[in-house]
Amino acid sequence: ERREAASLVLSQVGNKLHSPRLSALAYQVKLDAFTRVKKAIDDMIAQLLKEKADEIKHKDFCVDEFNTNQLQTEKKEREKQDLIAKIEDLEMTIKALTEAIDTLKAEIAEMQVQLKRAGEDREKENKEFQTTVADQRETQKLLKAALSVLADFYKKSEAASLVQKQEPVGPPPPAGFETYNKNAASGGVMSMIEQIISDAKAMEAEAIRSEEDAQKAYEDFVKETNASIEAKSKDIVEKSEVRAKAEEELVETKEAKEAVMLELEQLSNYNAQLHQSCDFVLKNFDLRQTARDEEVEALKQAKAILSGAKFEEFLQSA
């Protein structure tokens, strides 16, 4: 009978493919009217063809999405590595600038200390100079006064000696005793005083020259040191500006890295979702497509049998 033959075709294919709906339809063929069964078969064929088309579409979607996800992940990984390298470079730059600025500040502080010491030393030297010049000038003043006194004294002594020679008083000197030469004595003392005055003037002149040289050296040192401090201060300002820009760029780069890390996490999560949705379809696609084709073919055979075709014909074609 046609019902039995159609049911057998559906039942055999249902058992082979482990298809509950074919097995159910095989049972239904035995009970329902031909028109209802044929309609059920047509509906199932349409459903299977739709499932087949939907699965092909889903497979194409999965392949495209996996490829896109992989490309985007690789791109973001490269961005992450570039950002990590940039962060390391910026951190090294900031560290180097900070060390350079600290060194410059230490050098400026040391130069300021040297300026202070040089000023103190110059003040001390100047006081010593003032004392030396004052001493030498005072010495010259005193010696000139003494020289003047001695000159007057010896002048008067000489005049008195002349009077004594004109009017001898007392007994004559013993035989062989030389007359005391006051002029020779007075000349030696005064020459010595004049030499001391000359030496004092020379010392004063030498002290003045040394003071002028020391003052010039101090002024040159102050000028050079201040110029160096100014240059280093300018360098600190420039390096500080560069460091500030690098620090700002570092913040932005770290934020960019965090954004890329978030995107990578999202891509990873989406990849996991794709695996959940696609792995079974991709792994079993060919098998499922073949099974649906067999189901459709079995349904078409069952419908043909119900429409009058002989079961033996399908057995022969098979």
Side-chain angles (χ1 to χ4, degrees), residues 201-315:
K201 286 182 179 181
M203 289 182 66
E204 179 186 350
E206 178 62 26
I208 291 173
R209 282 194 301 271
S210 297
E211 171 65 13
E212 289 174 349
D213 291 342
Q215 181 63 26
K216 185 178 184 306
Y218 170 72
E219 290 173 356
D220 290 343
F221 172 74
V222 170
K223 183 178 179 181
E224 291 173 3
T225 304
N226 283 331
S228 182
I229 289 174
E230 183 179 356
K232 290 180 185 295
S233 298
K234 183 179 179 182
D235 197 14
I236 287 174
V237 171
E238 291 174 352
K239 281 182 168 56
S240 296
E241 290 175 353
V242 174
R243 182 177 64 178
K245 290 180 181 178
E247 288 172 340
E248 182 179 351
E249 189 175 358
L250 178 61
V251 172
E252 293 173 354
T253 305
K254 285 184 175 180
E255 290 175 352
K257 180 197 165 191
E258 290 302 317
V260 169
M261 295 293 289
L262 178 60
E263 290 182 76
L264 281 169
E265 183 180 355
Q266 292 171 344
L267 286 167
S268 177
N269 292 338
Y270 183 56
N271 182 268
Q273 293 173 8
L274 284 174
H275 278 290
Q276 289 180 350
S277 173
C278 298
D279 281 358
F280 179 80
V281 172
L282 294 176
K283 181 178 180 181
N284 300 283
F285 178 77
D286 292 337
L287 182 65
R288 287 168 64 83
Q289 290 291 305
T290 300
R292 283 197 178 87
D293 288 341
E294 291 182 11
E295 285 184 276
V296 170
E297 183 60 27
L299 288 167
K300 288 179 177 179
Q301 288 178 9
K303 183 179 179 182
I305 291 171
L306 291 172
S307 298
K310 294 182 179 180
F311 179 62
E312 290 76 5
E313 295 176 2
F314 296 105
L315 292 177

Side-chain angles (χ1 to χ4, degrees), residues 66-77:
F66 271 123
N67 289 337
T68 301
N69 181 268
Q70 181 179 353
L71 290 173
Q72 290 178 339
T73 300
E74 290 173 353
K75 179 183 177 183
K76 292 301 174 182
E77 280 291 345

Side-chain angles (χ1 to χ4, degrees), residues 74-125:
E74 290 173 353
K75 179 183 177 183
K76 292 301 174 182
E77 280 291 345
R78 288 193 296 271
E79 287 184 21
K80 183 183 81 170
Q81 294 305 319
D82 290 343
L83 290 168
I84 289 174
K86 187 176 181 180
I87 288 171
E88 291 176 353
D89 183 60
L90 286 169
E91 287 177 341
M92 289 177 62
T93 298
I94 291 169
K95 181 181 178 183
L97 286 168
T98 300
E99 290 174 352
I101 289 170
D102 290 343
T103 299
L104 287 168
K105 287 180 177 178
E107 290 174 350
I108 288 174
E110 177 60 26
M111 284 189 283
Q112 288 172 336
V113 169
Q114 291 177 0
L115 277 176
K116 182 180 178 183
R117 288 175 180 170
E120 292 171 349
D121 291 345
R122 181 83 281 273
E123 184 178 357
K124 182 179 178 182
E125 290 171 355

Side-chain angles (χ1 to χ4, degrees), residues 148-160:
S148 177
V149 171
L150 285 173
D152 289 343
F153 172 76
Y154 286 125
K155 187 177 181 181
K156 291 177 181 178
S157 295
E158 184 179 354

